[in-house]
Amino acid sequence: QLVEHLTLIKKLDNVKSVDGIGLMLGIELKEGLNAREIVEKCISKGIIPLTAKNKIRLLPPLNISKKDLEKAIRILSEVLK
């Protein structure tokens, strides 16, 4: 399920790449976008990602529910459009 959702995020115009190991994921943004601003928008909508240079880092708990995962992906998609 997570792989399917990440495939959709990879296709967004503002996303350069998505990579990671397990649930530790990084979303690299295209040039000109500020990862910190994107993270602030995510926080205001209810998810707390991290930044690493021009990447958004996701470190959800291993026991994240399907409902919470889908909510986080939905918020990320909205913010990254």
Side-chain angles (χ1 to χ4, degrees), residues 25-77:
L25 304 168
I27 301 169
E28 186 174 0
L29 302 175
K30 291 192 176 172
E31 293 297 320
L33 292 174
N34 185 322
R36 205 164 285 237
E37 290 176 6
I38 301 285
V39 165
E40 287 175 11
K41 289 179 185 177
C42 288
I43 290 171
S44 73
K45 293 180 178 276
I47 62 171
I48 304 174
L50 305 169
T51 59
K53 297 185 182 180
N54 200 36
K55 282 190 176 185
I56 297 171
R57 305 299 280 167
L58 304 173
L59 300 164
L62 292 175
N63 63 346
I64 188 169
S65 69
K66 181 179 176 182
K67 179 181 171 184
D68 287 340
L69 180 63
E70 289 173 349
K71 177 183 175 183
I73 296 296
R74 187 183 76 249
I75 290 169
L76 274 170
S77 297

